[in-house]
């Protein structure tokens, strides 16, 4: 190789700080952390907390892209900090901010209560008209039936899609990408019978119709869930439902 | 449970998006550019007149114009609504955009049907 | 110390969305541009209707309209309109497989097939319209 890769010794992180007992407006603190090619952003944050400033607050748990708790903005882009190499953001300084769209409690920690409520609003669980007794065995499913919803079941509730969605940030009543994708996950599940109940919530303006298909939710999703696609498919089925009920008002109960 | 009437508008919006996507490029290329510049020769004028006076063509054109107008109304409504953060004017914007689309459809239909 | 702070009472910080938020990110700007193509859709449809009305008036009116359309400034503007509409067509057709999921029996038709179908429809519509306008 004629060109040698220059690996920096250190990299600067500009970290969003908000300590409500100290300041009424957030500020940025700069930290110089050692650079390692194998380090993720989360490793650098952990270094800051362990060695530079123990008061820095942020959420993380699994550090393997499964728990969905370490989502933040890195240079303005929503990412899982445990799955984003420092190297990909060189030369720095790297700006770390909390996800947009959620009120900040402290530093990099947002209040996610709104999303939690929305998950239950859309009834993101299996609904059966009648549970069959345990003795009757499992609800069987073919591989093709599994394929129908598997993609949407990959969601880890990391909320990167909410942060990327301008509609949600402008109108927080909007149910938003992940919750609608998860509603779709259960609608498309052959064992589920709750599509109608969910439609009542989702066919409102704050449900699917608020979406203008910016498409950024799908772009930032670390799990390939494609919430934008889920919402568009939902619009199609809601439309067919609507015209069916216009044509046959009696059959829809 | 009351369901919003959004599907009607969405169908008009989507139909307009699809119709304009499929037909406008060729119409613009042929009618606005190639014919005026003399790159190609049009069909005989009598044939073209027969074509636009045919009831099916007129009907198709009216539907096309309606769809294009509602496509615009829907997109423009949300561009104002979100792009300029005018959600407090939601009703006014909706009445103006869809209202203009409706008026445009009526005027367009009157003009097009009068051909022939 | 922040004098407004009371222990155990959360004081959230809420970031305001800037009024021109769509200028802050490329993908948002592309989105707004995509939505604004609808203005050009209406313009192009209106000119098509105007041409239909002129055609109805007879050959002299049609020839006059054609010569007005051949003015260099008008042509330049219409070339730009063509590019805007092509942007609309391409973004529109590319998003189609997102909404339209076709299942044949047990198998899902791959999104690329849906996409190719849409482009095929575009081609077919273009050929038919060009043929109607130009066949002699």
């Amino acid at each position: 190789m004629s060109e040698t890769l220059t690996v920096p010794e250190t990299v600067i992180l500009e970290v969003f700080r908000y300590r409500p007992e100290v300041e009424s407006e957030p500020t940025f603190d700069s930290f110089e952390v050692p650079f390692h090619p194998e380090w993720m952003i989360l490793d650098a944050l952990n270094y800051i907390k362990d060695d530079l400033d123990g008061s820095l607050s942020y959420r993380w748990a699994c550090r393997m892209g499964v728990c969905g708790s370490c989502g933040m903005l890195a240079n303005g882009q929503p990412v899982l900090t445990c799955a984003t190499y420092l190297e990909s953001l060189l030369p720095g300084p790297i700006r770390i901010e909390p996800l947009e769209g959620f009120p900040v409690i402290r530093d990099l920690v947002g209040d996610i209560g709104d999303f939690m409520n929305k998950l239950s609003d859309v009834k993101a669980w299996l609904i059966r008209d009648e549970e069959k007794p345990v003795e009757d065995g499992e609800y069987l499913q073919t591989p093709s039936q599994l394929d129908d919803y598997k993609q949407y079941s990959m969601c880890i509730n990391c909320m990167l899609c909410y942060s990327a969605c301008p509609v949600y940030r402008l109108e927080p009543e909007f149910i938003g990408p992940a919750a609608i994708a998860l509603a779709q996950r259960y609608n498309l599940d052959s064992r589920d019978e709750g599509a109608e109940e969910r439609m009542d919530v989702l066919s409102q303006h704050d449900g699917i119709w608020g979406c203008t298909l910016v498409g950024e939710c799908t772009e930032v999703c670390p799990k390939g869930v494609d919430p934008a696609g889920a919402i568009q498919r939902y619009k199609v089925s809601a439309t067919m439902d609507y015209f069916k009920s216009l044509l046959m008002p009696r059959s829809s109960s | 449970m009351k369901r919003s009437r959004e599907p009607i508008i969405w169908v008009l919006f989507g139909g307009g998006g699809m119709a304009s996507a499929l037909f406008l490029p060729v119409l613009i290329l042929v009618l606005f550019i190639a014919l005026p510049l003399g790159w190609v020769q049009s069909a005989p004028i009598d044939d073209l007149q027969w074509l636009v006076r045919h009831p099916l063509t007129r009907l198709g054109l009216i539907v096309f114009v309606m769809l294009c107008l509602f496509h615009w109304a829907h997109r423009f409504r949300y561009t104002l609504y979100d792009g300029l953060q005018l959600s407090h004017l939601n009703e006014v914007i909706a009445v103006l955009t869809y209202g203009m689309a409706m008026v445009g459809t009526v005027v367009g239909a009157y003009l097009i049907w009068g051909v022939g | 110390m922040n004098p407004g702070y009371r222990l155990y009472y959360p004081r959230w910080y809420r970031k305001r969305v800037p009024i021109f938020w769509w200028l802050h990110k490329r993908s948002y700007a592309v989105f707004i541009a995509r939505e604004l193509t609808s203005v050009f859709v209406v313009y192009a449809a209106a000119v098509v209707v105007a041409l239909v009305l002129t055609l109805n008036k007879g050959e002299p009116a049609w020839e006059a309209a054609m010569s007005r359309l051949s003015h260099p400034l008008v042509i330049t503007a219409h070339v730009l309109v063509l590019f805007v509409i092509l942007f609309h067509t391409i973004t529109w057709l590319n998003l189609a497989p997102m909404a339209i999921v076709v299942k044949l029996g047990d198998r899902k038709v791959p999104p690329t097939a849906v996409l190719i179908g849409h482009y095929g429809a575009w081609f077919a519509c273009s050929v038919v319209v060009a043929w109607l306008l130009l066949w002699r």
Side-chain angles (χ1 to χ4, degrees):
Chain A
M1 272 210 319
S2 57
E3 227 178 288
T4 47
L5 211 64
T6 47
V7 177
E9 295 272 303
T10 61
V11 60
I12 306 283
L13 260 64
E14 288 176 358
V15 183
F16 179 101
R17 299 305 301 270
Y18 174 62
R19 290 147 295 200
E21 74 282 7
V22 179
E23 56 222 346
S24 49
E25 285 295 314
T27 56
F28 282 88
D29 279 355
S30 276
F31 298 101
E32 189 170 11
V33 300
F35 174 79
H36 299 287
E38 71 276 16
W39 268 18
M40 302 291 177
I41 297 172
L42 183 62
D43 295 311
L45 290 174
N46 285 340
Y47 177 87
I48 294 172
K49 190 164 177 76
D50 290 345
D51 291 344
L52 303 177
D53 184 347
S55 73
L56 180 66
S57 302
Y58 52 97
R59 287 199 187 95
W60 68 286
C62 77
R63 52 118 188 79
M64 49 192 268
V66 172
C67 75
S69 54
C70 71
M72 297 170 206
L73 298 188
N75 289 343
Q77 188 69 8
V79 294
L80 290 183
T81 50
C82 72
T84 307
Y85 283 104
L86 275 182
E87 195 168 21
S88 67
L89 296 162
L90 284 182
I94 303 169
R95 192 164 260 242
I96 306 294
E97 294 164 272
L99 288 182
E100 285 182 285
F102 300 96
V104 179
I105 301 171
R106 180 181 200 83
D107 293 344
L108 300 164
V109 180
D111 184 345
I112 59 172
D114 184 52
F115 174 63
M116 293 296 142
N117 291 334
K118 280 169 178 163
L119 276 183
S120 56
D121 287 346
V122 300
K123 304 181 203 242
W125 53 79
L126 278 182
I127 297 174
R128 298 283 305 176
D129 295 338
E130 239 175 288
E131 291 285 348
K132 66 179 184 183
V134 177
E135 307 80 74
D136 289 4
E138 313 87 332
Y139 296 98
L140 296 177
Q141 210 162 43
T142 67
S144 145
Q145 286 170 328
L146 173 66
D147 266 351
D148 287 343
Y149 68 84
K150 190 172 175 199
Q151 181 184 19
Y152 302 132
S153 75
M154 304 309 280
C155 176
I156 57 172
N157 302 353
C158 67
M159 293 163 286
L160 298 191
C161 52
Y162 281 77
S163 188
C165 174
V167 177
Y168 177 67
R169 282 173 10 226
L170 293 164
E171 306 157 49
E173 309 80 38
F174 176 44
I175 289 177
I180 299 178
L182 283 165
Q184 194 71 320
R185 176 246 173 278
Y186 290 98
N187 284 335
L188 296 172
D189 190 321
S190 57
R191 300 164 295 182
D192 181 82
E193 291 166 335
E196 186 128 356
E197 281 176 55
R198 288 188 203 99
M199 188 65 92
D200 287 340
V201 180
L202 287 160
S203 64
Q204 304 302 312
H205 177 81
D206 293 335
I208 46 180
W209 303 115
C211 167
T212 52
L213 189 40
V214 180
E216 272 298 283
C217 50
T218 294
E219 292 299 316
V220 302
C221 179
K223 292 286 161 183
V225 170
D226 188 13
I231 300 174
Q232 304 328 301
R233 287 181 73 180
Y234 219 125
K235 284 180 185 170
V236 173
S237 38
T239 302
M240 297 209 287
D241 242 50
Y242 178 81
F243 284 103
K244 251 185 238 162
S245 71
L246 274 191
L247 293 173
M248 301 171 284
R250 258 156 246 263
S251 68
S252 71
S253 50
Chain B
M1 186 75 199
K2 187 187 152 285
R3 283 184 184 178
S4 87
R5 254 177 254 105
E6 215 68 59
I8 299 176
I9 290 166
W10 194 68
V11 163
L12 291 170
F13 153 76
M18 194 55 93
S20 55
L22 295 180
F23 290 107
L24 276 184
V26 63
L27 285 171
I28 294 171
L29 183 64
V30 172
L31 289 176
F32 298 14
I33 297 171
L35 282 179
L37 287 180
W39 291 353
V40 287
Q41 261 213 309
S42 74
I45 210 90
D46 294 343
D47 289 6
L48 285 181
Q49 283 179 333
W50 175 85
L51 179 69
V52 296
R53 285 170 185 165
H54 194 284
L56 277 183
T57 317
R58 284 186 279 163
L59 201 65
L61 264 175
I62 290 171
V63 172
F64 182 71
V65 166
M66 176 184 76
L67 291 176
C68 285
L69 282 166
F70 275 93
H71 174 75
W72 163 79
H74 196 63
R75 281 198 152 169
F76 204 68
R77 174 191 169 197
Y78 279 103
T79 309
L80 291 177
Y81 188 83
D82 287 333
L84 296 177
Q85 302 191 23
L86 299 176
S87 51
H88 52 288
L89 299 177
N90 184 19
E91 276 83 15
V92 183
I93 292 172
V95 168
L96 276 180
T97 48
Y98 298 128
M100 279 166 78
M102 273 186 239
V103 171
T105 304
V106 172
V107 173
Y110 173 77
L111 290 175
I112 294 166
W113 199 249
V115 169
Chain C
M1 271 299 164
N2 178 7
Y5 180 76
R6 278 173 69 198
L7 199 58
Y8 309 125
Y9 284 80
R11 279 180 72 86
W12 289 304
Y13 167 71
R14 286 170 207 270
K15 190 174 167 186
R16 259 196 68 82
V17 181
I19 182 92
F20 295 115
W21 53 268
W22 35 274
L23 289 176
H24 292 239
K25 208 170 183 180
R26 209 188 107 84
S27 52
Y28 294 161
V30 170
F31 159 71
I32 291 288
R34 187 192 82 192
E35 300 299 291
L36 289 179
T37 58
S38 60
V39 176
F40 293 84
V41 164
V42 168
Y43 168 77
V47 177
V48 169
V49 171
L51 283 175
V52 165
L53 298 180
T54 344
L55 190 58
N56 188 44
K57 284 191 198 143
E59 188 146 16
W62 175 254
E63 292 302 333
M66 281 299 133
S67 82
R68 256 178 282 131
L69 285 180
S70 67
H71 189 283
L73 279 179
V74 180
I75 290 288
T76 315
H78 283 162
V79 169
L80 287 176
V81 170
L82 178 62
F83 277 109
V84 172
I85 296 297
L86 282 175
F87 176 60
H88 161 66
T89 298
I90 290 164
T91 48
W92 185 270
L93 296 183
N94 286 354
L95 288 175
M98 234 184 202
I100 301 163
V101 176
V102 190
K103 281 195 88 174
L104 284 179
D106 244 10
R107 306 185 70 169
K108 195 180 136 185
V109 177
T112 15
V114 178
L115 192 68
I116 290 168
H118 278 84
Y119 274 85
W122 180 27
F123 180 74
C125 290
S126 303
V127 169
V128 168
V129 170
W131 177 76
L132 282 173
L133 293 174
L134 301 176
W135 189 74
R136 46 192 308 138

